[in-house]
Amino acid sequence: MEKNRGVIRELLKYESELGHSEKEALDNINRAKGHGKVDKTTVWRWLSKFRNNQMEITDKKHAGRPREVDRVAVVNAVEAHPSMTTRITIEEMRESLTEFFDSKNRDWYRRGIHRLEEQWQKVIENNGAYFDY
C-alpha cells in the first residue's frame, strides 16, 4: 500500500507541476491507473500542499500506533503490570466513565465545546495532517 501511495503522490506532484486543476488531476490519474484509484479529497489535499511549496511526498513521523509491535515486550509488560491493561469489564468501564464525567462542572464542558472551533481550524490549516495540541 505504501508503494501505491508513493506512486499516486508522484503523479499528483507531476499534475501540479503541469498546472492542472484538481478535476483534471483526478480524471487523469483515474484514467491511467483505474477508476477510483484516487479520490477527490486526496487530490485536493496534495495539490494544496504542492501549491504551498510543500513538495515532500513521504509521510511525516507522527504519534500513534506503531506499525510493528514487539509481542514479547507487550506480553511481558502486561504480565508485570496487569492493573495497567484494559482487562476490565464493561460495567467497570461504564462506572469509571460515569464517575469521571459526573465530577466535571458545567464550565469544563463549556470550555471543551468552545475549543472545538479552534481545534477544527487547526485541522483545516494543516490539511488534515497530524499536529500537536
Side-chain angles (χ1 to χ4, degrees):
M1 182 141 149
E2 284 299 317
K3 184 177 180 183
N4 188 41
R5 279 185 183 173
V7 169
I8 296 298
R9 291 172 184 174
E10 283 287 347
L11 292 172
L12 287 167
K13 189 174 181 179
Y14 180 71
E15 291 287 329
S16 173
E17 290 168 349
L18 292 174
H20 289 167
S21 70
E22 285 85 351
K23 172 121 176 58
E24 290 172 314
L26 178 70
D27 292 343
N28 289 343
I29 293 172
N30 281 333
R31 189 174 328 120
K33 294 295 182 180
H35 180 72
K37 205 56 148 175
V38 66
D39 60 46
K40 281 175 37 175
T41 305
T42 301
V43 172
W44 180 87
R45 183 176 65 245
W46 282 95
L47 289 186
S48 176
K49 286 181 180 187
F50 297 143
R51 287 187 186 116
N52 289 314
N53 290 320
Q54 298 174 8
M55 305 308 279
E56 184 61 45
I57 63 167
T58 58
D59 289 325
K60 294 178 182 175
K61 287 193 173 214
H62 60 304
R65 182 177 175 194
R67 294 189 184 264
E68 294 181 16
V69 177
D70 181 348
R71 296 181 85 63
V72 173
V74 171
V75 169
N76 290 340
V78 169
E79 289 174 350
H81 304 286
S83 64
M84 299 298 286
T85 69
T86 58
R87 293 181 183 174
I88 58 177
T89 66
I90 296 296
E91 189 56 39
E92 286 173 322
M93 187 170 47
R94 184 176 288 124
E95 288 174 13
S96 178
L97 287 171
T98 300
E99 181 181 320
F100 172 80
F101 288 114
D102 285 348
S103 72
K104 303 302 176 189
N105 62 28
R106 293 175 72 98
D107 288 336
W108 184 83
Y109 287 98
R110 188 174 289 118
R111 281 191 311 272
I113 294 296
H114 288 294
R115 286 194 65 215
L116 283 176
E117 182 179 0
E118 176 187 328
Q119 295 304 318
W120 277 111
Q121 187 60 41
K122 286 182 183 178
V123 171
I124 292 166
E125 290 168 0
N126 285 281
N127 295 318
Y130 176 81
F131 62 92
D132 290 322
Y133 288 99

